[in-house]
Amino acid sequence: MSKQYQNLIRSLFPAATKNSEKKAGEPASQPTNCRRTFLIRSVLATLFGSAVVAGTNVNANDQIPGAAQTTPIALVGGVVHTVDAKTLNNATVVFEKGKITQVGKKVVLPAKCRSIDVAGKQIYPGLMESMSNVGLSEIGSVRATVDTDEVGDENPNLRPWVAVNADSELIPVARAGGVLLASIAPKRGNIRGQSAVIQLDGWTYKDMLLRGDTGMLVSWRSYDSRRGSSTDRAKERDERLKGLSDRLETAARYAIARAARPDWTPVDLRFEALIPVLEGDSPMIIDADDRREIEAAVAFCVARGIRPIIYGGYDAPECAPLLKKYDVPVIVHSTYRLPLRRDDPYDHPYTLPSRISKAGIRFAIGGPGSGSPGGGAAARNLPYHAAVAVSYGLPADQAIHAITLAPAEIMGVADRVGSITVGKDATLIVVDGDILQTESNVTDAYIGGAKVDLGSKHKTLADKYRRKYNQRSR
């Protein structure tokens, strides 16, 4: 060990090094050596970890969260896409204390109202990413910046919103694309954990949290089988599903025991997290694409009184009668993806939202989710996933609905966000064109009435290098 680190250890832990400073030839006791070695290794590990993170240049973003609204604001003269009602031309939206108070062509502006002319622009509700890891993952290749996984296959007690990094550089980038809300969830394991809806602005996760425990994410592929023989496949699948069923039944018995004798029944956080799902207060969000997986998952949930939501839904149109019968919504996992099977048409993922809509199934369109490629870094592309669906048959108004009100309804937050409606949060965006068009830009954004800084690392670097080449061209 170098003298530099020896001096550092002495300054941090003088008691640990006191006994080590003995005269030459005097043996040190074994326990002292063990303690000293442990302390040294701990400090070195901490220093190494700090060096790794520092070397990746993981810094807080420069955007300052918006202050709470203090005066009424009126957006005057824009095209208002209310989503839950008809689109209004040359209309006004008034909001006060973070809530929308008036929407229409003839409104009475309150006293001391700040009027903003948005003529020629379009006003939309803030877009909502239906499933993402934004705020939970920064640089995929640097483990210290990724907080989406946990050890073990069953972690229903995971609450990802407490791990959100409010200073993530990916959050301002998503906001600049109009995405002001995101549903986040863990991505590893069989029972992955709880989901939550966050607002993409705030100093801490508490400021950002709109609602926690909006669902329990379960990977149904983990309970399916890929055995070659149909008999072996059915046997393995039944064994795996029995394990899930036993876990839920144990949680139900735990709930009964806690209600009857709370003093005699120790708290188990995993079972506590499953109780809202069993009681129907929280849905089970099932990651499934294959028809076999979707049908098995819905049947499993219906038999136990659980509310299912399908995430992925590649074969959802083939399960339309079942999904419609039990009103099971589908979150389409991105349109930017390849067909799952070699004999599927090339545009199968592109036409999926249109086919789901024609089948009469409730649905939302999500981005790339929490996997790779994409994840939170690609949340900004959410409107273009909807735009692809429009290019392949989905009506434009349904596409807007699928990235605003639909995910809000599915995740249980439609009472606050998802549409421009009197009484809801003033979470909205102002765009200089059609939000589904890549050339359109978000010019203003508000979350709960607070004005959002639309700057981002992308814009900063674009401006930097634009100036560089302007200087060189002179």
Side-chain angles (χ1 to χ4, degrees):
M1 181 183 303
S2 68
K3 290 185 178 180
Q4 179 183 359
Y5 285 109
Q6 288 179 355
N7 293 333
L8 178 60
I9 297 299
R10 289 193 182 96
S11 64
L12 293 176
F13 301 103
T17 58
K18 182 177 180 181
N19 292 332
S20 64
E21 297 173 352
K22 296 181 179 292
K23 296 180 180 179
E26 183 178 350
S29 63
Q30 184 176 358
T32 299
N33 279 337
C34 291
R35 287 194 298 271
R36 182 160 61 92
T37 301
F38 172 75
L39 289 170
I40 291 172
R41 288 178 176 175
S42 299
V43 171
L44 289 177
T46 302
L47 291 172
F48 177 75
S50 301
V52 169
V53 176
T56 61
N57 196 27
V58 181
N59 300 317
N61 65 63
D62 298 325
Q63 286 67 48
I64 298 175
Q69 183 183 7
T70 56
T71 58
I73 296 176
L75 303 177
V76 182
V79 178
V80 181
H81 299 263
T82 61
V83 177
D84 63 345
K86 65 180 181 180
T87 299
L88 304 174
N89 294 314
N90 194 24
T92 299
V93 179
V94 182
F95 48 98
E96 187 174 359
K97 295 180 180 180
K99 297 290 183 180
I100 299 172
T101 55
Q102 299 181 70
V103 180
K105 294 186 177 182
K106 297 180 180 180
V107 301
V108 179
L109 300 184
K112 298 181 180 180
C113 180
R114 181 189 173 200
S115 181
I116 301 174
D117 183 9
V118 293
K121 297 183 179 180
Q122 306 198 40
I123 306 173
Y124 297 89
L127 309 185
M128 178 173 169
E129 170 64 283
S130 300
M131 192 63 65
S132 179
N133 63 358
V134 63
L136 299 176
S137 178
E138 196 73 7
I139 303 173
S141 59
V142 181
R143 184 65 184 89
T145 70
V146 179
D147 205 356
T148 57
D149 300 347
E150 190 54 82
V151 176
D153 291 328
E154 295 185 352
N155 294 291
N157 54 306
L158 289 188
R159 305 165 71 205
W161 57 91
V162 303
V164 169
N165 175 21
D167 289 323
S168 170
E169 289 282 9
L170 305 181
I171 290 176
V173 175
R175 288 197 306 245
V179 181
L180 304 185
L181 302 154
S183 177
I184 58 172
K187 71 169 187 177
R188 182 183 181 278
N190 304 341
I191 303 178
R192 297 177 176 177
Q194 303 167 49
S195 63
V197 175
I198 61 171
Q199 304 170 121
L200 298 188
D201 195 37
W203 290 102
T204 67
Y205 83 86
K206 293 181 180 179
D207 298 334
M208 300 171 69
L209 183 64
L210 185 67
R211 180 184 170 186
D213 191 16
T214 55
M216 181 67 64
L217 190 61
V218 174
S219 172
W220 208 260
R221 296 181 186 87
S222 303
Y223 298 101
D224 199 13
S225 173
R226 296 293 185 269
R227 293 288 184 90
S229 167
S230 59
T231 302
D232 294 341
R233 189 164 56 244
K235 181 180 179 181
E236 185 177 59
R237 183 173 63 247
D238 290 345
E239 290 176 354
R240 292 178 178 179
L241 287 177
K242 185 178 184 303
L244 176 60
S245 180
D246 290 345
R247 172 67 71 180
L248 296 177
E249 289 178 7
T250 304
R253 291 194 296 270
Y254 166 83
I256 295 172
R258 283 288 297 170
R261 303 295 295 270
D263 296 338
W264 287 29
T265 308
V267 174
D268 188 307
L269 295 180
R270 295 188 177 188
F271 291 150
E272 289 284 346
L274 289 171
I275 291 174
V277 178
L278 295 172
E279 293 179 345
D281 297 328
S282 182
M284 181 179 286
I285 304 171
I286 299 162
D287 189 351
D289 275 311
D290 190 84
R291 176 177 181 174
R292 181 177 68 245
E293 297 170 353
I294 294 172
E295 292 177 344
V298 172
F300 181 92
C301 290
V302 168
R304 291 161 179 79
I306 297 172
R307 291 192 293 126
I309 295 172
I310 301 299
Y311 172 64
Y314 187 82
D315 285 344
E318 300 176 24
C319 310
L322 179 67
L323 298 177
K324 289 173 61 178
K325 179 179 180 179
Y326 295 105
D327 191 27
V328 179
V330 174
I331 299 174
V332 176
H333 170 213
S334 136
T335 55
Y336 288 169
R337 57 170 170 167
L338 296 174
L340 293 185
R341 305 177 186 92
R342 296 181 64 181
D343 55 349
D344 284 341
Y346 80 94
D347 60 355
H348 214 55
Y350 310 155
T351 62
L352 179 58
S354 175
R355 289 183 287 118
I356 289 178
S357 175
K358 291 177 181 177
I361 303 168
R362 287 198 298 135
F363 74 100
I365 296 176
S370 60
S372 179
R380 68 187 188 280
N381 291 327
L382 175 63
Y384 312 134
H385 288 276
V388 168
V390 173
S391 299
Y392 285 83
L394 184 69
D397 59 336
Q398 292 188 29
I400 297 297
H401 184 275
I403 55 177
T404 53
L405 186 56
E409 291 174 338
I410 292 172
M411 291 300 172
V413 293
D415 59 324
R416 293 188 58 182
V417 296
S419 63
I420 299 178
T421 306
V422 173
K424 289 192 177 184
D425 292 0
T427 299
L428 46 86
I429 55 176
V430 180
V431 188
D432 62 8
D434 185 346
I435 189 61
L436 301 181
Q437 299 294 327
T438 56
E439 61 267 25
S440 299
N441 296 293
V442 177
T443 60
D444 296 279
Y446 300 85
I447 294 181
K451 188 171 177 58
V452 174
D453 185 344
L454 290 175
S456 70
K457 190 170 185 178
H458 286 197
K459 291 185 176 181
T460 300
L461 292 176
D463 182 62
K464 173 182 176 180
Y465 289 102
R466 188 178 294 113
R467 293 186 181 185
K468 171 185 176 181
Y469 290 108
N470 285 340
Q471 291 172 358
R472 289 190 174 186
S473 63
R474 291 175 183 174

